[in-house]
Amino acid sequence: MSGDEKAAAAPRSLAEALRQRDDASLAALLRARPDLITPVPTDLTQLATRAGTRASVVRALERLDRFALQTAEALAVAGDPASYGELLGLMAGDDGDPEVAAALPRALGALRERALVWGADDRLRLVRTARELLAPSPQHPSPTGLGPTVQEATAGMSPGRIQEIVAAVGLPSTHDSVSAVASLTALFTDRERMSALLADVPAGSLEVLDRLVWGPPYGQVTADPAPRLRLLLDRGLLLPTAPGTVVLPREVALHLRAGRAHRAPEPVPPAVTASATHTARVVDATAAGQAYTALATVEELLKDWDEGGPNVLRAGGLSVRDLKRTAVALDVPEPVAAFWVELAYAAGLLASDGEVDERYAATPAYDEWLELPPADRWARLAQAWLTATRTPGVVGDRDAKDRTLSALGPGLDRSAAPEVRHRVLALLAALPEGAAPDAESVLARLRWERPLRGPQRTGDHDLRTRLARWTLSEAELLGVTGRGALSAHGRALLGAGASAGASAGAPAAGPTAPGAGAGAGAGAGTGAASDTDAGRPGPDGLTAPGPGDKLPVHKHHPRHPTAEPPHDSAPPHDSAPPHHTAPPHDPTPAPAPLSPAEQAAATAAAARLLAPLLPEPLDHVLLQADLTAVAPGPLRRPLADMLGVLANVESKGGATVYRFTPASVRRALDAGRSAADLHAFLTEHSRTPVPQPLAYLIDDVARKHGHLRVGAASAYVRCDDDALLNEILADKRSAGLGLRRLAPTVLAAQADPGALLEGLRAMGYAPAAESAAGDVVIARADSHRTPPRTAPEPVPDGPPAPDAPLLSAAIRAIRAGDLAATAPRRPAAADPAADGEPPRTSAAETLATVQAAVLTGETLWIGYVNADGAASQRVIAPIRVEGGFVTAYDHTADEVRTYPLHRITGVAELAEEAAADPS
C-alpha cells in the first residue's frame, strides 16, 4: 500500500477508529466501560459520542492504574497528534528506562482498548474530553507539573515583546509572531542548542528554574524583578501569564527534566510483601475457631433481641445508646458491635418489624438459618459480607448534612466496598499459603491500581484505604483469614483459581465487576477476559482469551519503529502489530468477582472445606457443686436452647460456663417445665451426677412457683393461703402496687399484671400468671419475629458488567445500525431520503419495493415503528410478503423476523456494494 493509501485508511475520528475494530475488540471496550452499553447505542457514531462524554471519560480514567494514567497524562502534554516515539520519550526520558519501555505498550494498549486513545502509532490522539481533563491549566495543574507551551504562554503577548525575546536568545528576527514563536519553540526543543543557551545562565537563575521544574510551574514576581529573574524573562525561559505571575514553559521544563513528563514513572506496581508466615494448618485452625466465634456472636446478638430488640430511630437506624448496650452485651468494642449488627442485617437475619412502635427483631430467615449446619451458616454470613455495599466502618461519621451515621441506618452504602474486599482477598490469595501480608504494602498496591480513587495528598483517609483496612480486620473477625493469612476456605470463597489470580507483584489488569478490579496497565488485553472467562465463547463465536492473551484490537496500526519490542518477547502474529503482543512478563489480570451462580458454588465449596475444621456439637455438660455447668464445647441446638433458659451464661470462651440461679430456674418453670422435667433433663445431659445443691434449688423454687396467681382485673392476686396475702399487704415494698383485699384469698391491684408480677418477684415471691379461665399462663421464651424480609440489595458502582449474550446482541445491533446509517443509498426518483434519516415512502411504494426485493433478493433499508411507538432503522432481506406481513432476514437481529407492513414507515434500496456485504 502506498503512503497515500495508508493516509486514506487512517481513521479521522474516534467513530472511524471504532469501525476498524473487530467484534472481539468492541466487546473488550464494552466490558471495560459498561456505561457505554446502557442503553445500547444505535450505531458506532453514537457509541463514539457517548465514549467522549465527560461523565464516561471520568469513570474510565478512574479505573486506570497509575502507569496507564501517567501515560494518558503524558499524551495530554504531548502534541496532538503525537507519535509513539514522542510518547516514549516523555515516559522514559532522554536516557531511556527499560522498565518503562517494556510496560508502555501495555499501558497504551489499555488506553486504546478503552477508547481513550485512538489512531496509528504515528498519529496517537487522546480523546478531546480526556485531554481537557488532564492537560495543565492555571485552574487545574497537571499531575505532571508541566505548564503551558511557548505558543500557549505567548498567546496574549505583544509582537514586539516576542521579537525582543527572539533577539535575546540569538535568533534572527521574523516578520510575524507566528514564525517567531515557532523558532523559539524549535530552540527550546533542541537539546544541543538549549544546553548552550543555559550554559551561560548564572547559578542564581538556574536555581529559580530548578524550583519550578517539577511543578507547580507558576511563580510570583514583583513589578521590578531581581536581575536573576529579569535574565530569565528576557530570554523567554520564564514567560508572564498575568500581572505578577510567570510560568516555566513546557519545552524548557522538559529539557531540564531530561525529557521526562513524570518525576517518577511507576511502570511496575508495588509488590505485596509478607509480614509473617505460618503453617497452613495453623492458619486454617485459627480461622475455623474464629468462624465458630462469629456464629456464636451472631446467635447471641439475635437471641438478646429475641423478644424484640431496640427501637428504630425516627430517621432510621440504631441509637448510640442501644449500640453501646449491644457492645456491652457482646463484650466487644462499639465498632465491632456495629459490624456484627450490620452483618446480620446484610444476611437477612435482622430487620425492623414495621409495627407502630417499630423495633428491630430477627426475621423468619433467622430460624431457617439456625437449622443449617454450622459451616453453611458461616458460608451465608461470609457471602453476605463479601457482596454487601453497607459499610459498618463509617458508623459514627458525619454525612453531607452533618448528621451522625448510625448502625442499620441510611447512608452506609459505599459502592466500592465489594470491589475493594474482593481485591484485598485476591492479593492475599496471591501470596504463598500461610503468608500474612504487610498491611501497608496492600494499601500501596491498591493506591497504585486506583490512583484517582485514592488519596490526592499524603495520608490514608481516602475511602478505598479505609475500606481496605476494614476488610483486613473484618476478614479476621469473620474467620476468612487466620493470623492475617488467607485460609483455605477463604480462598475457596473467591472461586476456583483465585489463588492463581493477580500476582501480588504484578499489575492487575482491567475492570472486573461494576467498578471492580485493577486499572489499565496491563495492555491491550486488559479487561478483555477474567480468569473465569478464559475458554468461554466470545461475542463473535470465538473463544475468549485467557490471562495474558491480547485481543486483536489495533491490528490496523503498525508499530512505530522507535518502539523496539523486548528482546525476549515472542515474534508478533502477522495480523497484529508487535507492540500488541504481550511480553513474557505481561501481568496476569485480577480475577473478576463471580457471577451469582459462580459465587454460590464457591460459597458451597468454602463451606465444605470449613466443615471438618469446626468442632462437633456436644450432647452433654459437666455439672458442678457450685451451681454451675461447664459446656466443654459447642452444644447441640436443643440442649443449648434449654440450657439457655434454665441457666445464665457466666463466661464464654473455649468452654462456656452456665450458672443456675433461682431466677433462671423460675424462668424454666414459667416456660412450662416441671421440677421433674428439669431433674430428668439434667440427669440425661450431665456426665457428672446432679449435685445436691442444684437439686435442692430446683425443688425449692418449684415448691413456691405458682402459689400466687396474678390475673387481670386491672390486676389481681389470688392465693389459697390468706396468711400469705396478709404478709404481702403488710410488706411496705408492696405500697407501690396499690393492693387492696377483695376477698380473703383475692387482692386487687392498681398495677398491670406484668408490673405486678415483677413487683412480687422483686419481693422474693414466685407468682405465676393465669388466664381469664384460671389456667396458668405458660411464659415460654418469646420469639418476636418480623414479617418476611429480604436482605438489603447492594448499591452497584455504575452499570453492571455485560455478559456474553448481551455483548453479542449489542454488537450485532450496533453493527447493523451503523450499516443502516452509513451505507450508500440508491437515489430515488422523487423525494430522496436525507442522509442518515429513515426513509419515508407511501404504503403502495413500500409494498411494491418489498415485493420486488423478494423477487430480486435485494437488501432493503427500512424505517420501522414497533408497538410501543419506538422508531428504529433496520437492514432486511425480504423472503416473502403475505397477509399484510413481510418475513425477512433482519441483519440487525441476525435472525428471521416478521414485520407488519403498516408499521414500516419507509423503504429504500441499498447501493449494490453495500447490499453485497451488509455485515
Side-chain angles (χ1 to χ4, degrees):
M1 180 182 292
S2 66
D4 293 340
E5 291 174 329
K6 287 183 178 180
R12 295 171 297 175
S13 65
L14 178 59
E16 291 188 6
L18 293 179
R19 289 190 181 96
Q20 295 181 6
R21 293 192 177 200
D22 55 20
D23 287 355
S25 177
L26 286 179
L29 168 62
L30 298 178
R31 283 194 192 98
R33 299 175 65 178
D35 57 298
L36 300 182
I37 204 175
T38 310
V40 177
T42 57
D43 53 35
L44 288 171
T45 300
Q46 188 180 85
L47 177 63
T49 302
R50 192 177 296 175
T53 59
R54 184 182 181 88
S56 181
V57 171
V58 168
R59 182 179 292 274
L61 291 175
E62 286 182 344
R63 282 158 176 74
L64 296 178
D65 64 40
R66 190 178 300 280
F67 187 65
L69 183 61
Q70 286 180 333
T71 303
E73 292 166 351
L75 277 173
V77 298
D80 186 24
S83 67
Y84 184 86
E86 182 182 354
L87 175 62
L88 181 61
L90 288 171
M91 295 300 296
D94 295 342
D95 298 332
D97 186 330
E99 285 188 343
V100 171
L104 185 59
R106 293 195 300 270
L108 181 59
L111 296 175
R112 276 175 162 158
E113 179 186 272
R114 286 158 175 74
L116 295 172
V117 171
W118 57 277
D121 279 352
D122 58 343
R123 296 181 62 82
L124 296 172
R125 292 183 182 273
L126 192 65
V127 295
R128 183 179 61 183
T129 308
R131 179 174 290 275
E132 293 172 353
L133 290 168
L134 299 177
S137 67
Q139 295 77 21
H140 303 285
S142 168
T144 62
L146 293 171
T149 62
V150 173
Q151 180 180 0
E152 294 168 345
T154 58
M157 190 177 293
S158 66
R161 177 57 183 152
I162 295 177
Q163 295 296 337
E164 290 176 2
I165 295 175
V166 169
V169 296
L171 295 175
S173 61
T174 62
H175 62 281
D176 64 286
S177 298
V178 175
S179 56
V181 171
S183 63
L184 195 61
T185 301
L187 170 64
F188 288 166
T189 54
D190 188 313
R191 293 290 187 262
E192 293 184 3
R193 290 196 293 162
M194 190 63 179
S195 298
L197 177 64
L198 294 174
D200 59 348
V201 173
S205 299
L206 290 177
E207 181 184 354
V208 173
L209 296 180
D210 289 340
R211 290 166 57 186
L212 300 177
V213 65
W214 291 108
Y218 294 91
Q220 301 296 320
V221 296
T222 63
D224 184 18
R228 60 176 183 171
L229 294 175
R230 172 57 63 188
L231 183 143
L232 298 176
L233 290 168
D234 290 343
R235 298 190 180 188
L237 299 177
L238 290 180
L239 294 173
T241 59
T245 303
V246 295
V247 68
L248 180 67
R250 186 181 306 170
E251 294 84 353
V252 177
L254 286 174
H255 175 82
L256 297 173
R257 296 179 178 195
R260 285 183 180 272
H262 298 276
R263 173 178 286 186
E266 297 183 54
V268 179
V272 177
T273 58
S275 61
T277 303
H278 311 281
T279 62
R281 183 175 181 179
V282 169
V283 170
D284 292 346
T286 304
Q290 192 57 47
Y292 170 73
T293 303
L295 296 178
T297 304
V298 172
E299 289 182 36
E300 182 179 358
L301 168 68
L302 294 178
K303 185 177 181 181
D304 188 49
W305 292 4
D306 211 26
E307 299 180 12
N311 290 323
V312 180
L313 293 175
R314 182 180 302 176
L318 199 64
S319 69
V320 175
R321 181 180 301 174
D322 288 328
L323 181 61
K324 289 181 178 179
R325 289 174 179 170
T326 302
V328 171
L330 298 180
D331 194 21
V332 296
E334 291 178 33
V336 178
F339 167 70
W340 293 121
V341 169
E342 283 289 340
L343 179 63
Y345 178 60
L349 309 179
L350 176 67
S352 62
D353 57 14
E355 297 180 358
V356 175
D357 184 18
E358 196 172 13
R359 308 174 70 88
Y360 288 108
T363 64
Y366 170 64
D367 299 311
E368 300 173 2
W369 179 76
L370 285 177
E371 300 302 322
L372 297 174
D376 292 340
R377 280 186 278 142
W378 176 87
R380 179 166 174 179
L381 294 179
Q383 182 176 354
W385 169 74
L386 191 61
T387 58
T389 55
R390 291 186 63 85
T391 309
V394 300
V395 171
D397 290 354
R398 296 278 179 175
D399 63 8
K401 297 182 179 179
D402 200 35
R403 296 175 300 191
T404 302
L405 297 174
S406 58
L408 300 179
L412 298 188
D413 285 290
R414 299 295 182 270
S415 299
E419 177 219 338
V420 174
R421 291 192 194 107
H422 189 277
R423 188 67 191 122
V424 169
L425 295 184
L427 291 175
L428 268 61
L431 293 173
E433 290 188 1
D438 175 64
E440 292 304 320
S441 67
V442 173
L443 299 180
R445 176 60 175 271
L446 292 178
R447 284 192 288 267
W448 185 92
E449 292 179 354
R450 288 288 190 276
L452 287 184
R453 289 196 166 190
Q456 302 305 306
R457 58 185 182 275
T458 303
D460 61 351
H461 300 295
D462 67 290
L463 178 61
R464 285 179 62 85
T465 299
R466 297 174 70 195
L467 287 172
R469 291 190 185 278
W470 294 332
T471 297
L472 293 173
S473 60
E474 291 169 1
E476 192 75 16
L477 286 173
L478 194 53
V480 176
T481 60
R483 299 196 178 186
L486 192 64
S487 62
H489 49 276
R491 292 176 187 271
L493 191 65
L494 293 178
S499 59
S503 170
T512 51
T526 305
S530 67
D531 289 353
T532 57
D533 290 332
R536 297 180 182 173
D540 54 356
L542 302 176
T543 300
D549 293 341
K550 300 300 172 187
L551 293 172
V553 178
H554 314 292
K555 62 184 180 182
H556 303 284
H557 306 323
R559 181 188 178 123
H560 193 274
T562 59
E564 297 181 0
H567 296 294
D568 54 349
S569 62
H573 191 274
D574 291 342
S575 64
H579 80 264
H580 192 63
T581 302
H585 58 280
D586 186 39
T588 305
L594 306 177
S595 67
E598 292 170 334
Q599 185 62 66
T603 303
R608 288 194 296 270
L609 289 175
L610 177 63
L613 302 175
L614 294 176
E616 287 292 332
L618 303 177
D619 62 352
H620 66 274
V621 294
L622 304 177
L623 295 178
Q624 302 186 111
D626 61 349
L627 297 181
T628 61
V630 177
L635 300 177
R636 291 183 178 177
R637 177 67 48 201
L639 174 57
D641 291 343
M642 183 58 199
L643 199 58
V645 175
L646 181 57
N648 299 323
V649 176
E650 188 170 75
S651 64
K652 296 178 290 185
T656 304
V657 177
Y658 296 85
R659 178 164 293 280
F660 299 93
T661 65
S664 68
V665 174
R666 185 181 64 246
R667 187 170 61 228
L669 296 173
D670 288 343
R673 301 282 183 170
S674 65
D677 294 337
L678 299 182
H679 284 299
F681 169 78
L682 294 175
T683 303
E684 178 184 359
H685 294 288
S686 176
R687 288 291 178 89
T688 58
V690 178
Q692 193 176 52
L694 179 58
Y696 285 171
L697 174 65
I698 294 173
D699 292 338
D700 185 52
V701 174
R703 189 179 304 111
K704 299 177 181 178
H705 184 264
H707 199 187
L708 294 175
R709 300 292 182 89
V710 174
S714 155
Y716 65 84
V717 181
R718 181 173 64 83
C719 181
D720 295 336
D721 186 357
D722 56 348
L724 182 58
L725 295 183
N726 291 333
E727 178 183 341
I728 293 174
L729 284 173
D731 195 325
K732 295 181 179 180
R733 293 175 295 176
S734 67
L737 300 178
L739 297 174
R740 61 187 177 87
R741 189 185 293 274
L742 296 182
T745 59
V746 179
L747 299 179
Q750 296 178 2
D752 62 85
L756 184 56
L757 280 170
E758 292 300 324
L760 292 175
R761 287 170 180 169
M763 295 168 61
Y765 300 99
E770 74 175 8
S771 66
D775 300 324
V776 175
V777 177
I778 297 176
R780 301 185 185 276
D782 291 335
S783 297
H784 180 61
R785 294 290 181 264
T786 70
R789 295 281 193 264
T790 58
E793 289 292 332
V795 178
D797 184 17
D803 54 17
L806 175 59
L807 283 176
S808 179
I811 291 174
R812 286 201 310 268
I814 293 172
R815 294 282 193 200
D818 197 61
L819 172 66
T822 60
R825 282 91 188 179
R826 291 182 181 177
D831 191 24
D835 290 342
E837 294 295 326
R840 304 289 295 183
T841 56
S842 65
E845 291 174 328
T846 297
L847 178 60
T849 305
V850 171
Q851 289 176 333
V854 172
L855 299 176
T856 60
E858 292 180 336
T859 301
L860 301 179
W861 174 47
I862 67 170
Y864 181 75
V865 178
N866 63 14
D868 297 327
S872 62
Q873 306 175 49
R874 298 179 178 274
V875 177
I876 65 172
I879 300 173
R880 64 178 178 272
V881 180
E882 58 184 8
F885 292 87
V886 55
T887 301
Y889 177 77
D890 189 334
H891 292 284
T892 305
D894 195 20
E895 63 183 6
V896 175
R897 289 187 174 182
T898 300
Y899 298 102
L901 284 170
H902 69 276
R903 295 194 179 276
I904 297 178
T905 60
V907 61
E909 297 177 353
L910 294 180
E912 294 181 1
E913 59 271 21
D917 185 15
S919 62

